[in-house]
Amino acid sequence: MTSTILKLENISKYYGNKKALTNIEWEAEEGKFITVLGPSGCGKSTMLSIIAGLERPDTGKIIFEGIDITHTPAYSRAINTVFQDYALFTHLNVYENIAFSLKIKKLSASQIKKRVSALLETVSLSGYEKRDVRTLSGGEQQRVAIARALANEPKLLLLDEPLSALDLKLRKEMQRELKALQKATKITFVYVTHDQNEALSLSDDIIVINKGSILQKAPPDEIYAKPVNSFAAQFIGDGNILNSVVMDNGRAKVFGTAIINCETSGFKKDETAYALIRPENVYFGSAKENSLTAKVISSIFKGEYYEITADLNGERIKGRSEKAFEAGQSAKFEFKDEIYHLMRS
Ligand code: ADP
């Protein structure tokens, strides 16, 4: 059985007269990996700081394990944070960094030793005990920061863009490790990022925020397939957002003439909408008689396919092709037989 571990109720936050968060409401189920995704400046860190107790909200409540902790100081919450810049104690070695909170808790020396060894093994740093943290690579420093944050067994771990200082290869590796770590420890993770791929590959649930408000909270596959509006669609994955007109039940027109199958419930006949068509569903090089023709803008080799961007009457369309096209060339394309998603805004 799952239970709610964290609940944000009507949280708003101002800095001076600037509103950073507006009526934020969501809850996290225990043991889940929740990602807060949004562009820079949308309020992600502010939200995390409020959950951690480092900032106070102007309105609303934070409920943690059924108890209102809105006014509980940060150090009394069973919540730890991993920051982007690691925030390690540079005057302490790896062992001392990880042991820090355990010493405060007054655990015995042998208990601390056992726990630090186990944590170092968890983050693949066994044998690093005596190392000066300033001599570690970025990835190693972040592993120490994660081990330190896990040391006193928090119920909730907040991670604020923890991998953004790492290069792409290491970031991918650390993503896999973090996901495995979260599964093994069953600690609830609230992970902040502006990286959509990171959000898609790590999360049980994604919360998309923009300008201090939540746009959507759903599992990654649902957000990818049915974004609530074109902002969320553009933010998650690569997509063509095409002007369309609803025809009748289950059909709409794009590019004036092409008919696509869509989920039209809630839409009226002749209503204008945006249709989301992912590039993997657009095939360039079509030989069908009724296919559309666009003017190629670019043709980029992606290994398994060419990514084609083209223009048709001023609207951009991105798709895939088995062969290369020249810029300026006319190219026929067709849509895969799918049921496409419509959005009002
Ligand atoms: P994100 O983490 O999504 O990049 P932040 O939560 O850091 O966004 O910031 C949200 C908004 O609040 C931004 O416009 C930012 O400039 C502003 N802000 C954040 N912290 C402060 C602060 N201490 N004082 C004033 N404005 C702040």
Side-chain angles (χ1 to χ4, degrees), residues 71-316:
H71 302 288
T72 306
Y75 59 82
S76 304
R77 302 183 184 194
I79 299 173
N80 282 343
T81 308
V82 176
F83 296 98
Q84 178 184 343
D85 61 0
Y86 322 129
L88 294 174
F89 307 123
T90 50
H91 61 291
L92 301 178
N93 66 21
V94 168
Y95 184 93
E96 292 159 344
N97 260 281
I98 300 171
F100 191 82
S101 64
L102 304 174
K103 282 185 183 156
I104 291 175
K105 267 182 135 180
K106 302 217 169 2
L107 262 64
S108 71
S110 67
Q111 281 175 313
I112 293 176
K113 193 160 182 247
K114 212 168 138 194
R115 180 99 186 105
V116 174
S117 297
L119 285 161
L120 281 172
E121 201 179 319
T122 306
V123 296
S124 312
L125 284 181
S126 294
Y128 276 62
E129 284 84 344
K130 295 210 166 65
R131 283 283 293 273
D132 181 335
V133 294
R134 290 167 299 185
T135 67
L136 301 178
S137 71
E140 289 165 346
Q141 287 190 37
Q142 193 52 290
R143 286 194 175 94
V144 175
I146 291 163
R148 187 183 59 178
L150 293 173
N152 59 358
E153 299 176 314
K155 298 257 179 74
L156 179 66
L157 192 65
L158 309 175
L159 302 103
D160 194 355
E161 309 241 8
L163 309 182
S164 57
L166 307 175
D167 65 50
L168 185 64
K169 188 164 172 283
L170 190 55
R171 201 153 75 222
K172 295 270 172 215
E173 214 174 290
M174 289 288 289
Q175 280 175 15
R176 276 193 294 274
E177 285 184 24
L178 269 180
K179 181 79 187 159
L181 184 70
Q182 193 273 331
K183 274 204 164 147
T185 59
K186 297 195 177 69
I187 295 172
T188 311
F189 276 28
V190 176
Y191 189 98
V192 158
T193 185
H194 63 270
D195 179 337
Q196 43 156 294
N197 290 323
E198 202 158 275
L200 286 173
S201 55
L202 289 174
S203 325
D204 293 311
D205 269 327
I206 298 176
I207 300 170
V208 183
I209 70 171
N210 189 31
K211 296 183 183 157
S213 297
I214 294 184
L215 294 184
Q216 192 167 13
K217 176 175 184 275
D221 52 350
E222 191 181 322
I223 292 211
Y224 187 78
K226 295 182 177 178
V228 70
N229 61 18
S230 47
F231 178 87
Q234 276 167 337
F235 213 73
I236 300 273
D238 205 3
N240 296 291
I241 295 164
L242 302 177
N243 292 308
S244 69
V245 180
V246 178
M247 294 172 68
D248 48 29
N249 208 2
R251 296 194 310 162
K253 230 181 235 180
V254 292
F255 292 115
T257 55
I259 297 167
I260 53 170
N261 295 320
C262 311
E263 181 53 69
T264 50
S265 62
F267 288 88
K268 292 194 211 79
K269 187 173 182 305
D270 295 328
E271 192 178 339
T272 56
Y274 294 107
L276 172 64
I277 303 185
R278 300 286 181 190
E280 59 265 31
N281 291 328
V282 181
Y283 170 63
F284 276 88
S286 167
K288 272 193 185 166
E289 225 172 77
N290 61 351
S291 57
L292 295 162
T293 305
K295 197 171 190 183
V296 173
I297 297 168
S298 67
S299 168
I300 300 168
F301 184 54
K302 291 279 183 181
E304 272 182 57
Y305 58 88
Y306 289 84
E307 183 187 88
I308 311 296
T309 305
D311 176 280
L312 175 50
N313 296 336
E315 262 195 290
R316 289 266 168 117

